[in-house]
Amino acid sequence: KYNVTVSADNFYDVTQYKIEKEYYENPENWIINEPKTFLKDLYPIILNKAMEQKIAFLKMIKNELNTNEIIFYFSDLKKEKIVEALGFAGKIYSEQDLKKMFEIEEPVDYLYINSNSYSGNKSSLSVKQDIDYKIVPDNNFSDKLKANLKITRVHEGSNTWPDGKNTTWMRVYVSNVAQFVSASLNGQDVSLLTEVKEENDKKYFGLEIPLEPGQTSIWEIEYLVSKTSSYTLFVQKQPGLSEDNLTVNFLGQNLFDGILNSNKNILEK
């Protein structure tokens, strides 16, 4: 129908061109405004080929669910509760959810980094992200510990469409009892620019971070967390996000050093 061959190797480039460039070259399509028609026509062909290898297809789906690459939403509350219980809904877990998950009564430390790019391109695919999370003693409060979070983002792409400048609104969701101390971006104090709000039974710190191709940004945040008899951390992976590097250090103990390819339960050794 479109006189084009689509393969695993060229899928991204072909679909982006068809949807965001070629479609709007026809003035009539500006009125119709259905640029993803190409994907609608391609979908049944891909599905038919996938069903020729059902076992491999189902294994792939299972892996995508376990790594938060696919999530579900149902308007039917019963169905929604089922996928929430299975961890397939992308839900932000409440403090009560976390206590039930770990079967403890003490507060659970929580970390969920959410990035929302609104650059109008696909530059996020070129951005690599490292997360370094340290818990250290706090000299001012005996019942608190200090969290030092460093998010390093490197733009490895170019200025060639569909790549380009990456402008992202980033939010760091933490425990609702966390207390913000300070923040810096590339060594500059951005404490006053950092949004501190509550949402979904969590507190979050938000900041707009622009990143040009070839550049690196380092956002560092300090905040206080509750001191407990034993340390428990739940790190939630953003659905659909490329795999980030994650390191977690608690009072000098290296608790995790690896890829954030799924939600992580991290316990003090």
Side-chain angles (χ1 to χ4, degrees), residues 39 47 57 65 142 174 176 183 192 239 242 246 249 254:
L39 285 178
L47 185 60
F57 182 51
L65 287 168
S142 59
V174 297
N176 58 10
L192 296 178
S242 299
L246 171 68
N249 185 287
N254 290 318

Side-chain angles (χ1 to χ4, degrees), residues 16 26 31 43 142 172 177 184 193 205 230:
Q16 289 305 307
N26 184 346
I31 300 172
Y43 170 74
S142 59
V172 175
V177 297
S184 67
L193 297 176
F205 313 129
S230 61

Side-chain angles (χ1 to χ4, degrees), residues 127 153-157 165 186 210-217:
V127 177
R153 307 178 78 241
V154 181
H155 196 325
E156 298 180 344
K165 181 179 179 179
N186 300 327
L211 192 60
E212 296 281 356
Q215 286 188 344
T216 297
S217 72

Side-chain angles (χ1 to χ4, degrees), residues 13 16-18 20-21 120-121 158-164:
D13 291 335
Q16 289 305 307
Y17 177 74
K18 289 288 184 182
E20 297 192 18
K21 288 285 189 181
N121 53 29
S158 68
N159 282 304
T160 303
W161 183 93
D163 211 336

Side-chain angles (χ1 to χ4, degrees), residues 71-269:
I71 57 175
F72 292 98
Y73 169 76
F74 293 98
S75 55
D76 184 319
L77 190 58
K78 290 182 179 179
K79 293 178 181 178
E80 182 66 11
K81 290 294 183 183
I82 292 172
V83 291
E84 283 183 2
L86 292 170
F88 298 154
K91 175 185 177 182
I92 292 180
Y93 293 91
S94 68
E95 181 65 27
Q96 197 57 41
D97 290 332
L98 295 174
K99 288 181 178 180
K100 184 177 180 181
M101 181 188 301
F102 288 98
E103 298 181 340
I104 59 175
E105 289 302 320
E106 290 187 306
V108 176
D109 196 12
Y110 178 85
L111 180 63
Y112 173 34
I113 298 171
N114 180 282
S115 59
N116 174 26
S117 174
Y118 48 91
S119 306
N121 53 29
K122 298 297 183 288
S123 56
S124 293
L125 295 174
S126 300
V127 177
K128 306 302 178 186
Q129 184 165 279
D130 290 339
I131 304 165
D132 183 34
Y133 188 59
K134 290 185 175 69
I135 299 293
V136 298
D138 182 75
N139 297 326
N140 298 318
F141 301 94
S142 59
D143 62 335
K144 301 288 184 182
L145 295 170
K146 183 178 288 186
N148 293 321
L149 175 65
K150 181 167 73 172
I151 304 170
T152 303
R153 307 178 78 241
V154 181
H155 196 325
E156 298 180 344
S158 68
N159 282 304
T160 303
W161 183 93
D163 211 336
K165 181 179 179 179
N166 181 268
T167 303
T168 298
W169 172 245
M170 294 197 71
R171 285 171 295 179
V172 175
Y173 286 87
V174 297
S175 169
N176 58 10
V177 297
Q179 296 173 259
F180 177 77
V181 176
S182 65
S184 67
L185 181 64
N186 300 327
Q188 300 295 315
D189 190 341
V190 292
S191 300
L192 296 178
L193 297 176
T194 300
E195 186 174 85
V196 181
K197 289 189 175 181
E198 293 188 13
E199 184 178 77
N200 295 316
D201 192 39
K202 291 288 179 288
K203 188 167 289 182
Y204 78 76
F205 313 129
L207 185 69
E208 179 184 272
I209 300 180
L211 192 60
E212 296 281 356
Q215 286 188 344
T216 297
S217 72
I218 301 176
W219 187 23
E220 296 185 75
I221 311 169
E222 285 192 347
Y223 55 96
L224 301 179
V225 297
S226 299
K227 181 185 286 187
T228 53
S229 58
S230 61
Y231 181 70
T232 306
L233 169 67
F234 182 78
V235 183
Q236 189 161 344
K237 174 184 178 287
Q238 180 175 349
L241 195 68
S242 299
E243 298 175 349
D244 295 338
N245 295 310
L246 171 68
T247 57
V248 177
N249 185 287
F250 176 76
L251 301 181
Q253 300 179 53
N254 290 318
L255 302 187
F256 186 86
D257 187 352
I259 302 296
L260 184 60
N261 53 6
S262 62
N263 296 337
K264 300 295 182 183
N265 299 342
I266 299 174
L267 307 175
E268 180 183 0
K269 296 177 182 177

